[in-house]
Amino acid sequence: MDRPVSVIIIAVVFLLLVLAITWGWSRRNKSQTDVPQPAKPHMGIKPVAEPVEGSYVSTTLAGHPLERVAVHGLGIRTTAEIVITDGGVIMDLAGREDFLIPRRDIVSVDTTAGMIGKFVERGGIVRITWRLGETLVDTGFRARYAASTTPTVESIREMIEEAQ
């Protein structure tokens, strides 16, 4: 097989792959139209801890770490800060709209070694399980410095206990 034919075959396979990914993402968006947009941070809530720098991993369906929530940009990884406030947890996302996980909607918090496409050492990702409308979801955050993970989890646990 000569070179031009090989290049054409590779280009067609690449194009088909991109089309399949686009079709899959669009289909996932359509199937999740019942998932409401998360709340936006509002004036009047006060931080109870210093912001923690790191990466927003993703939001997935609770208990299904490979089922990304695609709507409202929740499935796209980005750099972020997590801010624990008296009203809940703010995900301050770089280049995207921030969102608030209201205190009353947080079900649990723990750590995990992986979520959709991001796998790290044991306990390296803070996983917050919360109610987004009628849907139970997990939101993952990876702190830039490992020493920030445990205090973040403890602060969120204290918030859950106070809300009960």
Side-chain angles (χ1 to χ4, degrees):
M1 187 178 329
D2 54 347
R3 188 176 198 124
V5 173
S6 299
V7 169
I8 290 172
I9 290 172
I10 290 171
V12 167
V13 168
F14 180 74
L15 179 63
L16 289 173
L17 182 63
V18 169
L19 289 172
I21 290 170
T22 303
W23 177 76
W25 192 257
S26 139
R27 210 167 148 227
R28 183 175 295 270
N29 266 320
K30 287 178 186 171
S31 72
Q32 294 176 347
T33 56
D34 60 327
V35 177
Q37 181 140 1
K40 303 292 179 242
H42 53 278
M43 300 302 289
I45 55 177
K46 297 178 186 95
V48 295
E50 290 294 315
V52 177
E53 295 179 7
S55 299
Y56 168 74
V57 177
S58 186
T59 296
T60 63
L61 298 177
H64 301 279
L66 301 178
E67 290 293 325
R68 192 184 306 257
V69 175
V71 293
H72 315 300
L74 294 173
I76 302 169
R77 184 179 302 140
T78 187
T79 57
E81 283 186 338
I82 189 171
V83 183
I84 300 168
T85 70
D86 58 356
V89 176
I90 296 174
M91 287 291 175
D92 184 359
L93 308 177
R96 298 206 336 257
E97 284 193 46
D98 305 342
F99 67 91
L100 172 70
I101 302 172
R103 174 186 206 143
R104 68 183 177 280
D105 293 338
I106 299 174
V107 174
S108 67
V109 63
D110 62 1
T111 59
T112 184
M115 285 180 82
I116 190 87
K118 180 79 170 177
F119 293 90
V120 296
E121 76 281 356
R122 183 182 309 205
I125 296 174
V126 176
R127 178 176 51 196
I128 304 169
T129 302
W130 58 292
R131 284 181 294 282
L132 179 56
E134 298 297 317
T135 308
L136 202 59
V137 296
D138 290 332
T139 293
F141 178 81
R142 167 108 165 124
R144 176 171 288 164
Y145 304 105
S148 301
T149 301
T150 301
T152 301
V153 170
E154 289 172 0
S155 294
I156 297 171
R157 277 196 184 127
E158 287 173 18
M159 181 189 309
I160 294 169
E161 289 170 7
E162 289 172 6
Q164 293 178 348

